[in-house]
Amino acid sequence: MDRTEVLLKLLCLLVCLLPILHACPQNCHCHGGDLQHVICDNVGLRKIPKVSEQTRLLNLQRNNFPVLPTNGFRDLKNLVSLHLQHSHIKEISSGAFRGLKQLVYLYLSNNDISVIKMGAFDDLTEITYLYLDHNKIPDLPKGLLSPMINLFILQLGNNKLRELKAGAFHGAKDLRWLYLSNNSISSIHPAALEDVENLAVFHLDKNQLTSYPAAAMSKLRVVEELKLSHNSIKVIPDLAFQSFGRYMETLSMDNMGLEKFSDKAFFGVTTLKTVHIENNKLSSLPGNFPFIRLETLTLSNNPWHCSCQLAPLRRWLESSRSRPDAACASPSQARGQQIRDAAVLRSCKLPTRRSKKGSRH
């Protein structure tokens, strides 16, 4: 082989390698192999860079993309994880993620997103984890989330949502964890949750609800953790948790100004382990409050009325290892005493459980 042939072969090899050599954008870090990662964290980018079609993870956080354009990622057919946090995003165009049919993780937290055009999430049929928290999203129009048939976790905390309309989660039938904390939600349409009946974790704390959304909540079937803290709800109605009472283990309703649980509020609740109801205006608990499996109960800063109605609570407090604080506010002779120690409760007889013998039901 003469020198000319060698040079030609080297030149050909170099030409073949050029696309690979230039696949990593300037100032970014790239890792090759089957799981190729492209890291462009905080490198001053103002438009989506060109990267290899083989890229599996693309980290573009802490850059500057005010508008995510249509087809901005269209060639990245193998992308699994896309990071766009802290990137000053204000608007997501229709078809912005078109072509990303393998994407599983999408991180859009801590931006200024206030506009999401219909069709923005087209092609995201494999998306499982979507993080949109800490933005300025005002609304969830019907159909926006429809392509996401495999969505499992949706984080929408710290946005500007004011209501949940019918069909807000249409299509997201596999959604299991929904976080809506710290929005401005004051109303939930009765049909808003009918598409996500399999929710297991539902956080609605720090919103502006003034009544328990019973009609919407009755569509849920398997909620294990419900958080309603910091909403101005005064009364929890009968059968509030009945549709998912066999599954609910954690209930947070602290700091609500809550005055009363209706007599049958906990009807059907059988697996409750943790309850937070501190910093409210409760003076009593309903007769069917589910103490049987309860492990943790926080109930301080409530004006408890220490009558025999609280005898089941006193019995639970005596057996609890955590010894939570719970002081009587009335009657006057018991004021300030811990419920577990209150003399006024010592002579109370606990209600006996009715025998089910002979029952056909």
Side-chain angles (χ1 to χ4, degrees), residues 161-190:
L161 297 172
R162 293 182 295 273
E163 62 178 325
L164 296 181
K165 299 175 182 176
F169 303 101
H170 179 71
K173 59 182 178 60
D174 284 342
L175 192 64
R176 294 281 285 164
W177 294 8
L178 176 57
Y179 299 95
L180 294 169
S181 307
N182 204 13
N183 276 274
S184 300
I185 298 169
S186 60
S187 68
I188 301 179
H189 190 278

Side-chain angles (χ1 to χ4, degrees), residues 92-106:
I92 303 177
S93 302
S94 179
F97 304 106
R98 192 173 292 146
L100 300 184
K101 294 183 179 180
Q102 302 301 316
L103 197 70
V104 174
Y105 305 90
L106 178 54

